[in-house]
Amino acid sequence: MHKLIGIPSCVLVLLLLALPAANGDTLKFNGKTMGTYYSIVIDGGDEAARENIQTEIDTCLQDVNQQMSTWDPESEISKFNTSVSTDWFSVSPEFAKVVAESIRVYELTAGAFDPTVAPLIDLWGFGAKRPKTFPNQEEIDAARSKTGMQYVESRSEPAAIRKSRPEITLNLSAIAKGHGVDRVSELLTSLGYPSHVVDIGGEDRTGTVKSTGEKWRLGVESPFGGIQRILECTEQSVATSGDYRNYFEIKGVRYSHAIDPTTGRPVVNPPASVSVLNASCMTADALATGLMVMGTEKGFLFAREHGISVLYLDVADEKSVVEHATGEFIENAPAQAPSGFSERNTDDNGRWIPFALALAIFLLAVTGMAVGVLAKNRELKGSCGGLSSMPGQNGKSICELCTVPKDQCTNPEVLERLKQEAAEAVDN
């Protein structure tokens, strides 16, 4: 499975509203990187240091791009890919580390995660080249002959990688964002800001608890919109692979963007999404990709066997979502989940959440219209009523509290407030 940088999954992990810090400032940073957005919140920061922090963040992310961007012909990965040498190729220590972890996850997942599958991605139309016909077996075999992470090695001293076949190329887009999240998180901690959340294109890592003693809250989005799960965590990472709406059609047939490297073909009936919890966002990112390729049944059993915390979301009938969870995703299960909530949920366990959220959102919208109009003496503003005028924590507007860039939100005045309030309604 290859997650194209710049094409977000249909189900991402969303950063919920951050409460203001009891001591110090709540600093927010937004920008673009790796073909997607980044959003960072620091609890207990120093406003006077904002410019310096921004410079450090930009330098860090530029470094990651210089190492792993296949769009930059001068990057380390581009130079490695164009090289036909099978000798050791000098790279930065960070690049060698990512390749080493890629090899480890490739072996752990028996090839389900494979960063060398670019030829297959192009063949099936998910890369720069889009075919007009269905590839035949001969073409699939030819593309597969140019793949295989078993032909790549990595060493740390001195940092270098090499390939035993000249035609092998790397695309680390299914692990690079997670690595970038780790790098920025470690940077902020080294600068004296250990309480933070870093989000790059939906891959998230939380730091230590907030100055209020509260944990950070992350929301896993439903395939139908809204929030499926609320996670409270510290010093943990969440990465999600989603494939519910990523496909292309040939002669009326839909083909998934999830390619199984072991067969060279799209995954049959892939899950809507798979989320992984891990201390390392790099590892979570890679595992989420591999588990997506495995599919729900095989991946669920694999996760239990290897002690991996995973949440699979499957669309049952275009109206309901079924959850399959292991590890900490069970511990983070909603308090109101029906009795019998287990590692492998039934349809009923998956269905109740969207309905509860929909009801909560409807009630909040009606209440918000009344409160916004009467208490604030504001006119109705279309469908959002008075919600955009309602203050959040410390009297700040919801837009001021929002951590997701405005161009990533379909309705920046209301979405974040609705999600926060709906989550609280479900929790209570």
Side-chain angles (χ1 to χ4, degrees), residues 293-412:
V293 169
M294 289 185 193
T296 303
E297 184 174 356
K298 181 179 178 181
F300 177 81
L301 296 175
F302 174 87
R304 281 205 308 186
E305 179 184 353
H306 292 88
I308 299 170
S309 295
V310 64
L311 174 66
Y312 276 99
L313 298 183
D314 287 302
V315 175
D317 53 14
E318 299 299 327
K319 295 181 180 179
S320 59
V321 178
V322 181
E323 293 188 358
H324 307 269
T326 66
E328 294 182 56
F329 278 105
I330 297 178
E331 299 171 14
N332 269 285
Q336 296 96 326
S339 59
F341 184 95
S342 62
E343 288 188 342
R344 189 159 194 172
N345 295 337
T346 64
D347 287 3
D348 290 338
N349 286 341
R351 287 174 178 162
W352 73 276
I353 297 175
F355 292 125
L357 288 177
L359 178 60
I361 290 173
F362 173 76
L363 294 176
L364 283 168
V366 174
T367 303
M369 290 176 68
V371 174
V373 173
L374 297 178
K376 293 295 183 180
N377 194 26
R378 300 292 185 96
E379 295 181 357
L380 291 176
K381 298 183 179 180
S383 61
C384 87
L387 282 176
S388 63
S389 303
M390 293 175 62
Q393 298 290 333
N394 285 6
K396 295 184 177 181
S397 72
I398 58 173
C399 291
E400 191 176 355
L401 287 174
C402 182
T403 61
V404 178
K406 289 185 178 181
D407 60 359
Q408 302 294 326
C409 179
T410 59
N411 190 333

Side-chain angles (χ1 to χ4, degrees), residues 9-51:
S9 302
C10 72
V11 184
L12 302 177
V13 178
L14 302 178
L15 175 60
L16 299 182
L17 296 179
L19 296 179
N23 299 301
D25 301 311
T26 297
L27 303 182
K28 294 183 291 183
F29 303 87
N30 298 309
K32 301 288 187 181
T33 188
M34 304 186 205
T36 186
Y37 73 89
Y38 72 80
S39 181
I40 299 166
V41 179
I42 297 176
D43 180 77
D46 180 4
E47 185 64 40
R50 174 182 290 278
E51 185 175 347

Side-chain angles (χ1 to χ4, degrees), residues 177-185 198-200 203-205 281:
K177 282 194 299 182
H179 170 71
V181 170
D182 287 339
R183 291 272 292 273
V184 174
S185 178
V198 179
D199 172 10
I200 298 181
E203 319 294 20
D204 297 77
R205 175 165 164 167
C281 197

Side-chain angles (χ1 to χ4, degrees), residues 85-153:
S85 173
T86 56
D87 294 331
W88 284 105
F89 185 90
S90 295
V91 295
S92 61
E94 295 83 5
F95 188 92
K97 177 182 178 180
V98 173
V99 174
E101 180 64 359
S102 297
I103 295 171
R104 187 188 75 83
V105 177
Y106 167 82
E107 294 173 348
L108 177 67
T109 61
F113 171 76
D114 188 345
T116 70
V117 295
L120 288 168
I121 299 302
D122 289 337
L123 179 66
W124 285 96
F126 309 133
K129 302 175 182 178
R130 183 171 295 277
K132 296 181 180 180
T133 58
F134 194 94
N136 57 42
Q137 189 60 49
E138 183 179 354
E139 292 171 323
I140 294 173
D141 291 341
R144 285 192 64 206
S145 70
K146 300 176 184 178
T147 69
M149 200 63 185
Q150 70 269 29
Y151 303 119
V152 179
E153 298 177 71

